[in-house]
Amino acid sequence: MMKKSSGPAFRAAQIDLAKCLACHGRAVISGVFHELACVQCNASGWVAVETGDPLPLEVLVTQLSIRLQAADHQIEQLKRSALLGGPATQYDENNRRGPGATNFTGD
Ligand SMILES: [Zn+2]
């Protein structure tokens, strides 16, 4: 029996994207009367860096998802570091330490 290949492997690897030059990453082009979907980038605003071609829609969706997830992750990390090490935390600590030290008179 022949080993059956199940078609091209699904690739979730990230492809380097560049902003579409035709629409400057806006995904739409200003027409005479209204904005038109940019055909150079499949109306995504992004093209493949290597070829400058628009990605097929089924690839594009995954690539945009990967980028969105990465961006979300980055936002969460920034939020967390702001909560843990931000100026608000230091202020609370100083405030707690301050009155105890200065108000103790001992008489
Ligand atoms: Zn475009």
Side-chain angles (χ1 to χ4, degrees):
M1 195 189 268
M2 275 176 60
K3 194 182 174 191
K4 198 176 171 189
S5 162
S6 56
F10 177 75
R11 297 201 54 164
Q14 186 167 356
I15 298 171
D16 285 335
L17 301 177
K19 269 189 184 168
C20 173
L21 294 176
C23 64
H24 305 285
R26 290 179 60 238
V28 290
I29 288 180
S30 299
V32 182
F33 298 111
H34 49 79
E35 292 185 320
L36 303 164
C38 177
V39 292
Q40 296 294 315
C41 58
N42 267 337
S44 69
W46 299 97
V47 293
V49 165
E50 286 179 19
T51 59
D53 289 337
L55 301 172
L57 288 181
E58 65 269 22
V59 177
L60 188 59
V61 169
T62 306
Q63 291 305 314
L64 293 180
S65 175
I66 290 171
R67 287 182 158 239
L68 183 59
Q69 289 172 52
D72 270 351
H73 185 67
Q74 230 168 21
I75 290 168
E76 284 305 314
Q77 280 189 324
L78 288 173
K79 276 187 190 167
R80 208 166 301 150
S81 66
L83 283 175
L84 292 179
T89 310
Q90 282 171 4
Y91 178 78
D92 279 352
E93 279 175 10
N94 289 342
N95 211 22
R96 217 176 297 135
R97 213 178 295 137
T102 51
N103 290 346
F104 181 73
T105 52
D107 66 351

